[in-house]
Amino acid sequence: MKHKLLPLSETMHYILLALREPLHGYAIMQKIEKMSKGTVILAAGTLYGAIENLSKHGWIEPVSGETGRRKVYKITEDGLTILKIEHQRLLHILSLYEMSESDEEI
Amino acid sequence: MFLNILKEEQWLNEHLQKGYQCTNVSGVGLYTFKRTDKAHIIRLDYQDYLSADKYKEYKMIYEDFGWTHIRGSRLGSIHYWQKTADSQNEIFSDRQSFVHYYKRLMNYSLSLAFTFLIISYMIYEDSSLYQTQGLWDMEGSLFWKAFLFETPFAIFKAIPLFMILFFGINYYHAYRQYSTLKEK
């Protein structure tokens, strides 16, 4: 059965992509603002809830050995697998965009 | 004191717009304000029990975003967050997290309604609202005197019933918000 968080929401998608490098909560928001060219600006409660949700599913995890006050997160192997699945899905949709109308009728 | 968190947030923000900031919210629902030159905004969140670790992270993220925690306990409560108004005045930025928020409010109202239901059951199990023996058989002024004497006590005993009604209505309000977002 398809996972209940799939297809990924824009918020979840950006967080997983951002956490290919380790970041703490606020830095995730800042990175996503840049990545999205200022179109996606996460609010505190949304970010907290998404981090909780993604951690619960084991797609991201706190980086061990961090000594700062802020928890630093990173994507897990499971998280990377999810990104691969989403990548395939989006590639397929893009291919449909590029198809001419005559191809669609087949 | 407010029994509806959505109305409470609205009322607080209307007050802040008149040039105030909130400095304290007491347990019985009394608010303390002070005058300010800067526009402030307040948002109410509800969280169930959070472990010490999660609570630290919850507060850290909000504080990093510029929110100040005014009131709230990690044992399951409403959290009051205030900040100076700027381009980001919301605590939720996508539909999914609003849906989850209304869902949390629904569960909160439902659990409170259920708690008062149990309390009501314990109170009314072996006594009615009016306790005087044979009250309804009395006649004339004797009846009215006894009736009026007992009424305050009866109202007091009925408080749990009112609470069930209040939290039932709250549940309905949160459900309305939840279902309109869910359908879109």
Side-chain angles (χ1 to χ4, degrees), chain B:
Chain B
M1 185 185 174
F2 286 85
L3 291 160
N4 183 328
I5 176 173
L6 301 170
K7 291 224 175 77
E8 182 177 357
E9 184 184 279
Q10 196 185 357
W11 181 85
L12 281 167
N13 280 315
E14 278 164 13
H15 205 71
L16 295 193
Q17 273 164 21
K18 291 172 193 159
Y20 291 95
Q21 74 180 80
C22 184
T23 52
N24 187 43
V25 179
S26 78
V28 289
L30 287 172
Y31 310 97
T32 319
F33 297 98
K34 75 168 187 204
R35 280 239 161 241
T36 171
D37 296 334
K38 286 182 183 152
H40 283 69
I41 188 98
I42 198 162
R43 293 284 173 225
L44 274 55
D45 185 21
Y46 173 79
Q47 291 287 334
D48 288 328
Y49 169 83
L50 296 171
S51 66
D53 193 39
K54 279 188 181 172
Y55 187 53
K56 209 179 109 203
E57 181 69 357
Y58 173 69
K59 283 175 75 168
M60 181 68 84
I61 289 180
Y62 274 73
E63 282 163 9
D64 276 347
F65 277 74
W67 295 96
T68 307
H69 196 242
I70 294 179
R71 186 186 165 79
S73 141
R74 72 178 185 90
L75 305 174
S77 84
I78 297 172
H79 294 270
Y80 295 76
W81 291 101
Q82 185 177 244
K83 78 193 273 284
T84 48
D86 54 27
S87 58
Q88 180 60 283
N89 294 330
E90 299 290 339
I91 54 172
F92 302 117
S93 56
D94 69 2
R95 208 178 70 214
Q96 205 178 18
S97 41
F98 270 109
V99 168
H100 287 153
Y101 170 58
Y102 292 128
K103 189 82 200 177
R104 289 200 297 280
L105 287 186
M106 281 162 63
N107 291 339
Y108 170 61
S109 305
L110 203 63
S111 62
L112 282 172
F114 195 71
T115 307
F116 282 106
L117 195 70
I118 293 170
I119 293 172
S120 306
Y121 178 75
M122 292 189 312
I123 293 176
Y124 309 130
E125 190 189 17
D126 46 19
S127 69
S128 58
L129 283 179
Y130 288 86
Q131 274 186 314
T132 307
Q133 291 286 320
L135 173 71
W136 308 108
D137 300 328
M138 291 178 186
E139 278 173 20
S141 65
L142 184 63
F143 167 78
W144 286 110
K145 272 183 198 157
F147 179 77
L148 289 175
F149 175 77
E150 279 253 341
T151 294
F153 295 100
I155 289 172
F156 186 72
K157 278 181 76 178
I159 285 174
L161 289 180
F162 289 120
M163 295 306 254
I164 295 172
L165 193 68
F166 269 123
F167 289 116
I169 292 168
N170 268 346
Y171 175 83
Y172 175 72
H173 281 304
Y175 174 75
R176 283 280 300 276
Q177 301 278 352
Y178 171 80
S179 60
T180 40
L181 278 178
K182 199 82 190 187
E183 275 166 20
K184 270 182 200 163

Side-chain angles (χ1 to χ4, degrees), chain A residues 66-82:
Chain A
E66 281 294 330
T67 48
R69 290 204 315 142
R70 287 171 182 78
K71 246 191 207 173
V72 173
Y73 300 89
K74 195 178 189 316
I75 194 166
T76 61
E77 282 303 317
D78 283 357
L80 287 169
T81 308
I82 292 297

